[in-house]
Amino acid sequence: MSALTVKTIAFQPLKQRLFNQIQSSEISFEWLTNLLAEQTKKITETLTPAEQMKIKRHFLCSTMIDLPFTTGDISWPKVANMLKKQGDNQADTFINAYECASWGFSLRHYLQHDKQDSPRLLLVSIIDANIFDLEFWRYNENWHESGFGITSILLEIDGPITDELITQCASTYNSMAEFATVVRRHATNKENTTLAMPFFPEHIQQMFDKLLAKQTRLPDLHQDWGHCFGADPWLSILSHCMKNPVIEDQQYLACSLALNGYFSMAQVKVTPQTQFILQEVKGHE
Amino acid sequence: MSNIIKHTYLGQLLSVPFTNKPSAALARCMPLSNDNDFAVFANLPCSDAPVLINFIEHYQILNELVLCANELWQAELTILIRISMPGGMRLPASLLAHNVLLMQDIDPEVEKLSGTVTHLLTIDDNFIRYQLEQGHNEIAINLHSLDKNQQVNFSKFVTKLEHFNIGAK
């Protein structure tokens, strides 16, 4: 059994267009940080004070929202301050480099420096929001329709981590097939583990059908949600478990692949106590 | 925390980093498709600093710096690197290694890690790779070490910067 337990997955869907007209970066981030903070509060308010004390870190992952930072239109200290005002356990570190695989690299970094033995909690949030309503993010030939949202995962670490987490990079430029092969190799030794894969258009699903024919996979929800970047495996688990309530512990391998070939895979346990929060869609249209 | 020894260096990219080597025109811009895309990009701030470096060269410098640091501090080294996205291409393997974390702003992580790891090296550059990036082609290197005998290694490390036409400010 994995030493990584999913305590909560929350998903706040966002519309393609966030505002009726393009807003400044500052206004956009006020809006987004409010939603993120609300989501964090929804997750933490169900915890006891003792459990809340166990939350050691909160990483925010996103490559999509990095453009206003890159151009100097907004800075992380400003955004971090917007979050800080919202109370405890808000995100305070922004990981921008690893695209859809950023959640796994954040987790790896935390585990690298984590010296505790007692159970502890970690929050990872993923924001995919098309702040400037750019066509590139609406639809892209690599993944077709995009899906946008704010996702937060509360994980408990309650033992030594051995091979639960894989972070690596493709060595070829056919990263999709290489990714599927690495997933297959990793899943082979894991009994009763269901794959939660990224959502892709049909031609890529067909490749997974062939390369992962012997593995159990959750359904691809590209038709329902579009490609939701690093959130896909978590949305996949959330959607499945909301339809099929969890009555005993289950094992999933959450898998993400980034455009530039970075992979993250985490074997996680979902229990009957795991909370799933699907929020109402926000945004303009 | 008083036992942390901090070594600092502030440098400036003075000209192109690889003199007499041709440099590919890799300045990238997201494809712009409709009126909104053009209007958004027309309103984004842009830098007035010269573009002296492309993505490949930037990653090459970071790669060489990380490899050099790994040689100098072979045990218990953690490296934090500021980076801007989109990056346009795959990052070199050294930057994806276990002892490296890439992020938009390294300060929150420095606060958390300084004094908890033996050697914490930070590389914080604002080399602009295309005109929409902000910065003045500066680089700040810091070492937070629990070992007080690291001046020689730190000097060796910053000497490496001269190879890329980076001079002390």
Side-chain angles (χ1 to χ4, degrees):
Chain A
M1 278 286 185
S2 173
L4 291 173
T5 302
V6 179
K7 300 276 285 182
T8 311
I9 302 174
F11 182 62
Q12 161 73 78
L14 295 175
K15 293 193 174 175
Q16 292 217 341
R17 195 174 173 154
L18 300 179
F19 313 108
N20 66 348
Q21 58 183 36
I22 301 299
Q23 300 291 336
S24 68
S25 294
E26 188 161 347
I27 291 174
S28 304
F29 274 92
E30 287 279 7
W31 188 80
L32 280 174
T33 52
N34 265 329
L35 289 181
L36 175 60
E38 270 177 38
Q39 187 176 69
T40 305
K41 283 176 201 162
K42 261 187 196 302
I43 293 172
T44 55
E45 71 192 7
T46 60
L47 303 175
T48 64
E51 284 174 319
Q52 289 185 22
M53 294 284 287
K54 287 188 199 163
I55 300 176
K56 299 300 171 196
R57 289 300 299 268
H58 189 171
F59 291 97
L60 172 60
C61 303
S62 182
T63 299
M64 191 187 293
I65 62 167
D66 205 38
L67 184 64
F69 294 93
T70 300
T71 59
D73 212 26
I74 199 150
S75 69
W76 175 247
K78 194 167 208 170
V79 175
N81 201 38
M82 291 175 189
L83 286 164
K84 202 174 176 182
K85 282 192 228 156
Q86 302 267 2
D88 294 335
N89 296 313
Q90 299 298 330
D92 65 358
T93 306
F94 178 28
I95 304 297
N96 63 340
Y98 310 93
E99 306 167 352
C100 298
S102 292
W103 60 263
F105 283 81
S106 304
L107 185 52
R108 180 186 76 174
H109 175 75
Y110 172 74
L111 293 170
Q112 188 95 352
H113 297 284
D114 169 46
K115 299 196 172 85
Q116 285 194 22
D117 293 326
S118 53
R120 56 273 186 214
L121 300 171
L122 173 79
L123 270 164
V124 180
S125 297
I126 302 161
I127 294 187
D128 287 307
N130 196 0
I131 294 171
F132 296 134
D133 194 22
L134 297 171
E135 187 61 31
F136 177 86
W137 290 119
R138 281 178 167 246
Y139 180 94
N140 186 289
E141 62 181 20
N142 292 293
W143 59 77
H144 294 192
E145 290 79 10
S146 304
F148 302 99
I150 302 176
T151 312
S152 291
I153 308 119
L154 179 68
L155 286 169
E156 182 175 46
I157 302 151
D158 58 0
I161 303 294
T162 51
D163 63 347
E164 284 94 336
L165 181 68
I166 306 272
T167 50
Q168 63 182 72
C169 182
S171 49
T172 67
Y173 278 87
N174 185 6
S175 47
M176 197 67 75
E178 193 180 338
F179 170 67
T181 308
V182 174
V183 170
R184 176 168 62 82
R185 199 177 59 200
H186 194 59
T188 302
N189 305 323
K190 312 269 181 209
E191 277 180 24
N192 301 320
T193 297
T194 303
L195 303 181
M197 299 287 285
F199 306 153
F200 281 115
E202 207 169 326
H203 67 285
I204 298 172
Q205 291 178 34
Q206 285 169 1
M207 186 199 288
F208 290 161
D209 287 343
K210 288 174 187 146
L211 291 171
L212 297 166
K214 290 184 187 157
Q215 278 71 34
T216 312
R217 269 186 296 150
L218 293 179
D220 190 303
L221 303 178
H222 190 273
Q223 279 226 320
D224 302 332
W225 293 105
H227 175 71
C228 299
F229 307 91
D232 284 343
W234 307 105
L235 181 53
S236 181
I237 296 171
L238 175 144
S239 301
H240 177 75
C241 295
M242 285 184 80
K243 275 192 202 143
N244 307 278
V246 180
I247 48 173
E248 58 182 13
D249 290 0
Q250 299 173 348
Q251 296 282 323
Y252 292 94
L253 189 64
C255 306
S256 284
L257 167 68
L259 186 60
N260 276 311
Y262 322 129
F263 314 153
S264 284
M265 293 167 212
Q267 192 189 2
V268 294
K269 182 167 67 182
V270 168
T271 74
Q273 289 73 43
T274 302
Q275 286 201 80
F276 301 101
I277 304 170
L278 181 58
Q279 296 169 264
E280 261 181 52
V281 63
K282 293 274 168 72
H284 180 63
E285 65 180 6
Chain B
M1 293 288 170
S2 56
N3 54 348
I4 305 165
I5 312 293
K6 188 174 170 189
H7 303 269
T8 61
Y9 168 90
L10 190 61
Q12 175 84 39
L13 182 62
L14 301 168
S15 66
V16 293
F18 303 100
T19 315
N20 299 327
K21 276 196 182 166
S23 175
L26 291 172
R28 278 163 197 265
C29 184
M30 194 175 273
L32 307 178
S33 312
N34 57 30
D35 286 350
N36 173 65
D37 289 358
F38 283 94
V40 165
F41 273 73
N43 286 319
L44 286 171
C46 61
S47 173
D48 55 2
V51 178
L52 300 170
I53 194 167
N54 66 25
F55 285 96
I56 291 180
E57 290 162 341
H58 185 226
Y59 290 163
Q60 187 179 339
I61 292 172
L62 291 175
N63 176 50
E64 289 189 33
L65 291 178
V66 167
L67 295 178
C68 173
N70 286 338
E71 278 287 307
L72 287 167
W73 294 283
Q74 293 193 4
E76 298 184 60
L77 170 68
T78 300
I79 305 173
L80 304 176
I81 300 175
R82 194 194 85 82
I83 204 137
S84 280
M85 288 287 138
M89 56 182 288
R90 185 177 289 178
L91 294 157
S94 65
L95 301 191
L96 297 166
H98 278 74
N99 66 335
V100 178
L101 186 68
L102 308 167
M103 65 193 90
Q104 168 60 232
D105 181 341
I106 59 174
D107 289 346
E109 207 56 29
V110 173
E111 237 173 73
K112 289 183 171 71
L113 288 183
S114 177
T116 70
V117 294
T118 309
H119 306 298
L120 177 66
L121 180 73
T122 64
I123 302 173
D124 189 345
D125 79 63
N126 283 287
F127 297 160
I128 64 169
R129 303 165 299 184
Y130 65 105
Q131 213 69 54
L132 282 174
E133 291 190 312
Q134 279 302 310
H136 300 280
N137 290 318
E138 288 169 340
I139 184 168
I141 310 265
N142 289 310
L143 178 73
H144 303 244
S145 183
L146 296 177
D147 179 347
K148 57 184 176 202
N149 300 313
Q150 292 305 319
Q151 185 57 52
V152 173
N153 275 347
F154 189 72
S155 300
K156 278 186 195 165
F157 183 75
V158 296
T159 303
K160 178 90 183 163
L161 297 166
E162 292 167 15
H163 299 196
F164 309 118
N165 280 327
I166 297 167
K169 276 196 81 169

